[in-house]
């Protein structure tokens, strides 16, 4: 990809774009924490895969990604800039391809990627994440061959 020709004003504006701890991400984390869920922030779920999830539930093997509508090509809100359209189309399509690749790599390693769009209601997104985490946790504790419903987690893990 060729370097983007840009003005100093555009470069300054783009450099201020947050990639971590965005408003929706912080609101989602607060909601999940208030629901009693504990997690790690900005971690690579799988060693050797250079992709960082926004929220990671290790024992449940759930990785949450909060995707911006512009940067990840939201089907409802994506816009295609008129300036340098070829560059931006390639950039956004590349991000989408990387997202699909990340989801596939995590799935191969036994993880589930959950994608949350920035436009989603925080409450609904938190509810969806909580349901997925609870289902994955209960699936881990209900493995066949376990007598008396023993947890497959070490006794000091609370989930």
């Amino acid at each position: 990809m060729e370097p983007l020709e840009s003005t100093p004003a555009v470069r300054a504006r783009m450099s201020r774009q947050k990639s971590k701890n965005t408003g929706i991400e912080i609101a989602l984390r607060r909601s999940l924490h208030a629901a009693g869920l504990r997690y790690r922030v900005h971690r690579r779920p799988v060693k050797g895969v250079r992709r960082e999830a926004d929220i990671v539930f290790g024992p449940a093997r759930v990785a949450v990604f909060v995707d911006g509508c512009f940067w990840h090509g939201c089907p409802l809100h994506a816009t295609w800039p008129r300036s340098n359209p070829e560059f931006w189309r390639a950039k956004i399509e590349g991000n989408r391809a990387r997202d699909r690749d990340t989801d596939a790599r995590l799935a191969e390693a036994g993880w589930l990627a959950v994608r949350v769009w920035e436009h989603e209601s925080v409450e609904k997104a938190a509810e969806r994440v909580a349901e997925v985490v609870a289902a994955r946790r209960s699936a881990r504790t209900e493995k066949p061959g376990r007598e008396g419903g023993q947890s497959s987690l070490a006794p000091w893990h609370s989930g």
Side-chain angles (χ1 to χ4, degrees):
M1 200 180 308
E2 290 184 30
L4 178 63
E5 290 186 28
S6 182
T7 65
V10 169
R11 275 194 299 277
R13 186 174 66 244
M14 296 307 276
S15 72
R16 288 191 299 269
Q17 292 291 320
K18 291 179 104 178
S19 63
K20 292 182 178 182
N21 301 319
T22 62
I24 181 73
E25 189 181 320
I26 290 171
L28 179 60
R29 291 192 326 232
R30 283 185 179 148
S31 185
L32 291 169
H33 194 272
L37 295 170
R38 300 301 178 255
Y39 46 81
R40 300 282 184 214
V41 178
H42 301 295
R43 296 282 172 99
R44 291 182 183 172
V46 178
K47 290 184 183 203
V49 177
R50 294 187 57 204
R51 310 288 164 77
E52 187 177 275
D54 298 310
I55 303 169
V56 176
F57 296 91
R61 292 184 170 225
V62 174
V64 180
F65 297 87
V66 180
D67 293 338
C69 290
F70 174 77
W71 296 107
H72 295 269
C74 170
L76 299 177
H77 301 104
T79 58
W80 299 106
R82 292 188 193 119
S83 292
N84 299 309
E86 299 84 19
F87 170 85
W88 287 111
R89 184 163 295 274
K91 171 71 175 156
I92 293 167
E93 291 298 334
N95 289 348
R96 291 167 122 177
R98 187 181 61 243
D99 292 344
R100 287 189 300 272
D101 180 63
T102 298
D103 294 353
R105 287 176 182 233
L106 292 178
E108 286 173 14
W111 284 73
L112 178 64
V114 176
R115 299 269 170 191
V116 174
W117 288 107
E118 71 177 339
H119 69 262
E120 282 187 65
S121 152
V122 170
E123 295 77 19
K124 288 182 180 176
E127 185 177 307
R128 184 164 53 97
V129 170
E131 288 172 1
V132 167
V133 170
R136 301 271 297 193
R137 285 178 175 165
S138 73
R140 285 181 55 108
T141 59
E142 296 172 7
K143 288 189 177 182
R146 297 244 174 227
E147 293 183 31
Q150 289 179 314
S151 171
S152 63
L153 300 174
W156 57 87
H157 281 111
S158 61

